[in-house]
Amino acid sequence: MTAASPQPLKIAVGTWGPWAIVSRREDGAIVVEGTMRRILEMFTQAMNLDYQLVLAPDGKWGNLNTSGYWSGLMGLIQRKEVEIALGPFIVTSEREELCDFSLPLYIENSAIVYQRPALESDIMGFLKPFSLTVWVLLLLSAMSVGLVLVWALWVEGKIFPSTFTRNKVSKAAICVFKSITQESSSWVPAGNGSRGVVATWFMASLVFFTSYGSTLTSLLTVPRVNVPIDSVADLVAQDTIRWGLAPGYMWYQYFRDSEDDVRRQVFERTALVPTGCYRSRSQVIYGDLARFCDVTTILKIMSLDFSMNGKCHLYMAKETVHSNFPVSVAFQKNSPHLPRANKILIQLQESGILGKWRSEHINNATQCLRHPSKDRPPGLYPLTLHDLSGPFLLLAVGVMSALVCFLGETLGFRFWQD
């Protein structure tokens, strides 16, 4: 710092990772890290300013209450306790009435972030190759073909005694069932009409169940991931994942004042949390909460998580909740320092330095932007018990049903013998 004036310029700071991460040293001095530290150094060196860092009493960025007073860093500006609030701040019309903002550091978007959906097994996955309507029609078709075949065998036996078939129902049922399982049948009807029925059903079942087999193979090969939330509407339509808003931050005010029905539901059903996205990142990583965050913060948290764990634990929803909002530094109205600060920001933007500083904090986030279905490493994998849990369950139910029938028949036989 330089001693250009007897009274140091008071500058308010707060934590918004990765832009600004504020901490205190053991001697009580306030320390700022991140992109805003570099911007602060360029401002103060270029303007030859001596400065003192100040924290907001409540640690918030600031919202306007019904009495017209601001909380957080904005409150320090309103009470003229500081000349500059480093922020950076999302520029809103209410905030612009209170202070002057610098040129935008960055044009930001926001999205929903929550715990990354995991690859999962579907116990009913063996039924997924066909829709419910197709399964119902196939069942009705098999029953209809069986009944028509029994009727054809009965009529042919009456007209042509040489074609008489014993145990018509059982033979017709076994023939229909074997065609479903793609198994050849040793029994062939003697009459031409019944043979035509069987041949037609064999051809149709060949198409149906060859399609079933190939589709099932592809479903078992491609990992299945259920992504429950990709938009604000998805968020309020489910009740499994909670979401949180922090009073004193822009998102709280944004949803509180929204006239959209879906966004009003977000505010009315939210869980109140004390801190912003960056500080509450562990709650999101461990699945306790979904948050509304700016994309830069989401990418910073993803990058930090991947750097520490080598895995991606977060997922960013596809829908942009709020788009193209500027992020700037706040100055007192008519501050003499604002024109010089804007010139510095123009130089940083035109040289690409601001973009470079931002990218340094999110360089490990690319891996986590892939769809969760691509989390499985490339290569061939054997099917596990989870993958085939549905057929095994069906087998267990079938065996238990057979045992129950066997016991019932045995006990019934002994009862009548007695």
Side-chain angles (χ1 to χ4, degrees), residues 10-29:
K10 291 187 176 181
I11 301 176
V13 293
T15 293
W16 177 5
W19 298 102
I21 301 174
V22 178
S23 61
R24 278 188 182 272
R25 294 202 303 252
E26 293 182 358
D27 60 1

Side-chain angles (χ1 to χ4, degrees), residues 250-267:
M250 178 266 183
W251 302 117
Y252 183 88
Q253 183 175 350
Y254 170 74
F255 285 104
R256 183 193 65 189
D257 299 339
S258 176
E259 297 181 358
D260 178 72
D261 291 339
V262 174
R263 281 166 168 74
R264 285 294 303 171
Q265 288 187 54
V266 170
F267 178 78

Side-chain angles (χ1 to χ4, degrees), residues 154-169:
W154 180 80
V155 171
E156 289 174 344
K158 288 291 185 180
I159 299 175
F160 307 104
S162 60
T163 63
F164 178 78
T165 303
R166 296 181 180 276
N167 303 321
K168 302 178 185 63
V169 175

